[in-house]
Amino acid sequence: MKRDITLKINGQSYEVRIEEDALLMDVLRKNLYLPGTKKGCGEGECGACTVLVDGVSELSCLMYAVMAEGKEITTIEGLSKGGKLDPIQEAFVEASAVQCGYCIPGMIMSTKNLLDKNPHPTEAEILDGMSGNICRCTGYKKIVDAVKLAAEKRA
Amino acid sequence: MPSMIGKGVPRVDAVAKVTGTAQYVYDMQFPGMLWARVLRSTIAFGEIVSIDASEALAMPGVRAFLTGKEIGDDLHGTSLCDEPILARDIVRFYGEGIGVIAADTEEIANEALKKVKVVYREMKPVFDVEEAFSENPPAILHPDLRTYKTSRPPKFIENRPNVYHSHRIQSGDLEQGYTDSDVIVEHEWRTAKIQHVQMEPHCAIAEVEANGDVTVHASINTLYACKNIFCRAFNLPKSKVRVRTYAVGGGFGGKQNITTMGVTYALAKATGRPVKYNLTREEVFIGACTRHPTVIRVKDGVKKNGTLMARDIEVLLDGGGYSEFGFLVVMNCCYAAIGTYKIPNFRIRSYGIYTNAPICGAYRGFGNVQVQWATECQNDLCAEAIHMDPMEFRLKNVLIDGDRNPGREIVFNNEAKQCMEWVEKGMETLKEKLERKPLPPNKVRGYGVSGGNKYSMAPTSSMAYVKMYEDGVVEGRIGGDEPGQGLFTVCAQMLAEIFELPMSEVRIIGGDTQICPYDEGSISSRATYNNGNAIRLAAEDCIRQIREKAAIKMNVPAEKLKVANKRVYNTDNVLESIDVRDLYDLNIMATGLYVKEGGEFCGKATWFQGTCKPNENYNSDRLCSFYTQGAQGIAVLIDKETGKVDIEGIVSSYDTGNPINPPLVEVQIEGGAMMAIGSALMEAMIMDEKGQTINANLTNYIIPTFKDMPLESHHMTNIAKSYHPNGPFGAKGLGEGTMSCTAPAIANAIYDAIGVRFYDLPITAEQIMAELNKKAAEGDPAKAKETVEVREPATIGV
Ligand code: FES
Ligand code: FES
């Protein structure tokens, strides 16, 4: 069954006609051409598809798009404003926390979720808060550095 | 200008990657594009009797279906052409592609796949590598093996029909070596089948123009190798085919297969529309490529004073259904054993063997990591047998410049000793930190060390173009790949250094065979060394052209001129200089500049790294480009009630030549260690009795997460002081070596903690618990160590 819905993404409204069981991840990537949200597994295991829904991190591969109607969706595309990077994005660049980059949008969204709730996390809290996101390249150490640096920058 | 070499400048692609604007093929869509899905076999070995896709083709939105026979390809391979794009008559592993569908959406294609009916005639498969290796194997996978086309002749083994290639390096006299030894240490070691798990799954989009020109956009880590193999498979002229890559979401050697390119091309040709194929995560496990499981037998002879007198190694590489890059793995894995230690009497023999399992190919180290799993654990056993400290044993036997290694190469730029000494000190610091706090209850701690190396292949070649624009910006074009390691960044740094420009005024273009010159790919840790040298030489050529032009304009001999910061200076009189713009003329409309004579300032170069011809024992003065060297120490904390191993600390030191961008080197070292922790403690693809992989997903195939890393203060990384005389600015390469030390260091640490020696990877919590329970039943104190197997010399292997 197709349905017409309106999604609010990064402060803008989008009207889309989608199947009722379409996943938010697919609607973002395929219907709306917002591929910053990555697909790494499609089964809730890698965190590459992390977005914020009403400020809380969600795996968009496990969420039907219709469930997000009327909510405020933030994707990686919505983080930098007017060509200026968000402090979290800056921190990932400066900490050399990026390699292939495929996990990075999800990492950044999870960092935002973590720091919005807990602006000064301990190292253990960082490991815990980020543990749903997999990176195969970096070995995580420099991503932890980036999260710490982001916390400093936002302070 | 401050030097750009050795600077941790941000990656050139960092901003695109943190803003989600970097382009990956997995994300791309073209107008009118169809989606492909591959039909996969449900048996491990057998004949395809019939495929009926009529019901699928009748579905709305389904545009085409092709069987393996209809793809129209010749068998392909790295050197041995044994692999079809999709199986034709015979299926050789569970999950092998046998047909492909194109539909308007991925969802329709998925539905349509379910409607295809396949009839098989099953044959008895062989899954066990030793059975497959035998003279009378239960199955012969490629009865026509000896008639296949090859581009580099395989070394078959008479009477062993499943061996697709073999290799041997030998020197000295093994028997004499054992006779001269006081102790013989001999064991068998195994590694499991693991997968790269690149975060971006494999994918490709193909387009065919009306005139037959082909463009394939693919997520691959060997641009030209894939193009060449693809052209050969479809008998396409090189000039008609353009292969493009973009940001590649991880490679690790696992994106060198042309399957996605092949099916999308065949469908694009059949439908006249662009066709895209994205692998699912499950397909990445079964339909892409994996790391060879191995059985490795090592026999060492050592003297009481710690001298390693003899080492004989036999490696069985379980290659799966087709040879793919496994052909090179057979050869390359041998170098692992000659790179770090002096061994006067030496032999390594390796065999690539077909089994009815998903294909094994290149995986970060080309077999080197598996071999070092065995040899670096053996080193600990040898040391123990003669009551020597494990690091002292390694340092006693480590190669230093001027030595001859077991391949009889003359050793140079080998900083293994420096790495080991750094790790030895680092481990003292780590111990001191860890032991400040009392051990948690029910936990036991252990420390382990390992050396490690990775050779980089040669002969090999890279090319580059370097062009200066009229605004003074310099662009380098390379055919090398950027799957995340940072190649484009370090090449940009080299250009910035040579032209004395800031990073914002240089750029690297890559990933397009139409506009970038030949390269042999981001494999074998070769990219920085070879692409860097090509960029350096092409930059010199470009500068030569600029100076020659400026010499006329300034009336100063070219050799007295220097190009820096968009100006040309007279080195005899620094006050005399011109803007590079002055080398151009204004066009008639006064809208732009051009070079009146001689064309654009565009340098080009080939970098070629040669070797010395090996003899029949594969000995020569130089067999490769360089060796990355390294050492690592690991602290483990083991829970005696669950068997769970926590990595408490990692101390790493690697010799990668002169580091162009130290943070990029560190992040490679840290990433390689984490990947290796997965291979050591958690990762294994599991097949049921029918050959079906039962954990082809990230729920049941577990890879390391944030939770598996040590605290930052217990994680120390060092880059050794080193300068390779042939490297660009002294640099070597690094990517693969970073996995070489970790698994043995972990096993050695586990042994130190609980006195149990594990011979097979991965070492799971269940196995540790089983061993601890066994010990408890025997009334053995957890710390008691088992005795090392010490035997009279005996011949092993075949
Ligand atoms: S794609 Fe959603 S968790 Fe992996
Ligand atoms: S940077 Fe490649 S997966 Fe994280």
PDB file of all heavy atoms in Angstrom, chain A residues 99-104 135-138, chain B residues 199, ligand 2:
ATOM      1  N   GLN A  99      38.935   7.371   8.098  1.00  0.00           N
ATOM      2  CA  GLN A  99      39.688   6.684   7.042  1.00  0.00           C
ATOM      3  C   GLN A  99      38.777   6.529   5.823  1.00  0.00           C
ATOM      4  O   GLN A  99      38.588   7.482   5.100  1.00  0.00           O
ATOM      5  CB  GLN A  99      40.262   5.371   7.544  1.00  0.00           C
ATOM      6  CG  GLN A  99      41.507   5.627   8.424  1.00  0.00           C
ATOM      7  CD  GLN A  99      42.287   4.362   8.659  1.00  0.00           C
ATOM      8  OE1 GLN A  99      41.870   3.497   9.393  1.00  0.00           O
ATOM      9  NE2 GLN A  99      43.434   4.251   8.037  1.00  0.00           N
ATOM     10  N   CYS A 100      38.212   5.345   5.617  1.00  0.00           N
ATOM     11  CA  CYS A 100      37.344   5.219   4.435  1.00  0.00           C
ATOM     12  C   CYS A 100      36.125   6.114   4.553  1.00  0.00           C
ATOM     13  O   CYS A 100      35.554   6.522   3.563  1.00  0.00           O
ATOM     14  CB  CYS A 100      36.944   3.765   4.207  1.00  0.00           C
ATOM     15  SG  CYS A 100      35.505   3.214   5.157  1.00  0.00           S
ATOM     16  N   GLY A 101      35.717   6.411   5.777  1.00  0.00           N
ATOM     17  CA  GLY A 101      34.659   7.381   6.001  1.00  0.00           C
ATOM     18  C   GLY A 101      33.251   6.831   6.000  1.00  0.00           C
ATOM     19  O   GLY A 101      32.301   7.551   6.326  1.00  0.00           O
ATOM     20  N   TYR A 102      33.081   5.572   5.654  1.00  0.00           N
ATOM     21  CA  TYR A 102      31.730   5.043   5.483  1.00  0.00           C
ATOM     22  C   TYR A 102      30.957   4.981   6.806  1.00  0.00           C
ATOM     23  O   TYR A 102      29.757   5.161   6.838  1.00  0.00           O
ATOM     24  CB  TYR A 102      31.772   3.662   4.833  1.00  0.00           C
ATOM     25  CG  TYR A 102      30.473   3.286   4.166  1.00  0.00           C
ATOM     26  CD1 TYR A 102      30.104   3.860   2.945  1.00  0.00           C
ATOM     27  CD2 TYR A 102      29.598   2.382   4.753  1.00  0.00           C
ATOM     28  CE1 TYR A 102      28.910   3.536   2.337  1.00  0.00           C
ATOM     29  CE2 TYR A 102      28.399   2.046   4.148  1.00  0.00           C
ATOM     30  CZ  TYR A 102      28.050   2.625   2.936  1.00  0.00           C
ATOM     31  OH  TYR A 102      26.870   2.296   2.336  1.00  0.00           O
ATOM     32  N   CYS A 103      31.663   4.741   7.894  1.00  0.00           N
ATOM     33  CA  CYS A 103      30.995   4.675   9.199  1.00  0.00           C
ATOM     34  C   CYS A 103      30.794   6.050   9.808  1.00  0.00           C
ATOM     35  O   CYS A 103      30.102   6.185  10.810  1.00  0.00           O
ATOM     36  CB  CYS A 103      31.835   3.839  10.166  1.00  0.00           C
ATOM     37  SG  CYS A 103      33.364   4.686  10.658  1.00  0.00           S
ATOM     38  N   ILE A 104      31.472   7.050   9.240  1.00  0.00           N
ATOM     39  CA  ILE A 104      31.621   8.332   9.941  1.00  0.00           C
ATOM     40  C   ILE A 104      30.314   9.093  10.145  1.00  0.00           C
ATOM     41  O   ILE A 104      30.063   9.596  11.246  1.00  0.00           O
ATOM     42  CB  ILE A 104      32.712   9.204   9.254  1.00  0.00           C
ATOM     43  CG1 ILE A 104      34.088   8.513   9.369  1.00  0.00           C
ATOM     44  CG2 ILE A 104      32.762  10.612   9.817  1.00  0.00           C
ATOM     45  CD1 ILE A 104      34.608   8.315  10.789  1.00  0.00           C
ATOM     46  N   CYS A 135      33.280   0.451  13.224  1.00  0.00           N
ATOM     47  CA  CYS A 135      34.225   0.976  12.241  1.00  0.00           C
ATOM     48  C   CYS A 135      35.237  -0.122  11.980  1.00  0.00           C
ATOM     49  O   CYS A 135      35.783  -0.688  12.917  1.00  0.00           O
ATOM     50  CB  CYS A 135      34.932   2.219  12.782  1.00  0.00           C
ATOM     51  SG  CYS A 135      36.257   2.788  11.700  1.00  0.00           S
ATOM     52  N   ARG A 136      35.480  -0.445  10.730  1.00  0.00           N
ATOM     53  CA  ARG A 136      36.427  -1.515  10.425  1.00  0.00           C
ATOM     54  C   ARG A 136      37.824  -0.951  10.157  1.00  0.00           C
ATOM     55  O   ARG A 136      38.772  -1.706  10.070  1.00  0.00           O
ATOM     56  CB  ARG A 136      35.927  -2.281   9.205  1.00  0.00           C
ATOM     57  CG  ARG A 136      36.623  -3.603   8.929  1.00  0.00           C
ATOM     58  CD  ARG A 136      36.564  -4.611  10.069  1.00  0.00           C
ATOM     59  NE  ARG A 136      36.675  -5.968   9.590  1.00  0.00           N
ATOM     60  CZ  ARG A 136      36.819  -7.026  10.371  1.00  0.00           C
ATOM     61  NH1 ARG A 136      36.887  -6.877  11.694  1.00  0.00           N
ATOM     62  NH2 ARG A 136      36.903  -8.232   9.868  1.00  0.00           N
ATOM     63  N   CYS A 137      37.934   0.377  10.007  1.00  0.00           N
ATOM     64  CA  CYS A 137      39.227   0.940   9.593  1.00  0.00           C
ATOM     65  C   CYS A 137      40.082   1.427  10.740  1.00  0.00           C
ATOM     66  O   CYS A 137      41.267   1.134  10.798  1.00  0.00           O
ATOM     67  CB  CYS A 137      39.011   2.123   8.655  1.00  0.00           C
ATOM     68  SG  CYS A 137      38.160   1.747   7.135  1.00  0.00           S
ATOM     69  N   THR A 138      39.516   2.242  11.618  1.00  0.00           N
ATOM     70  CA  THR A 138      40.351   3.085  12.474  1.00  0.00           C
ATOM     71  C   THR A 138      40.816   2.429  13.764  1.00  0.00           C
ATOM     72  O   THR A 138      41.726   2.933  14.408  1.00  0.00           O
ATOM     73  CB  THR A 138      39.581   4.344  12.906  1.00  0.00           C
ATOM     74  OG1 THR A 138      38.441   3.910  13.686  1.00  0.00           O
ATOM     75  CG2 THR A 138      39.098   5.142  11.725  1.00  0.00           C
TER      76      THR A 138
ATOM     77  N   MET B 199      32.946  -1.702   5.516  1.00  0.00           N
ATOM     78  CA  MET B 199      31.633  -1.165   5.906  1.00  0.00           C
ATOM     79  C   MET B 199      30.756  -0.832   4.699  1.00  0.00           C
ATOM     80  O   MET B 199      29.543  -0.937   4.769  1.00  0.00           O
ATOM     81  CB  MET B 199      31.786   0.050   6.823  1.00  0.00           C
ATOM     82  CG  MET B 199      32.303  -0.304   8.212  1.00  0.00           C
ATOM     83  SD  MET B 199      31.485  -1.727   8.976  1.00  0.00           S
ATOM     84  CE  MET B 199      29.825  -1.119   9.129  1.00  0.00           C
TER      85      MET B 199
HETATM   86  S1  FES C   2      36.489   4.818   8.618  1.00  0.00           S
HETATM   87 FE1  FES C   2      36.116   3.033   7.416  1.00  0.00          FE
HETATM   88  S2  FES C   2      34.628   2.023   8.550  1.00  0.00           S
HETATM   89 FE2  FES C   2      35.158   3.641   9.839  1.00  0.00          FE
END
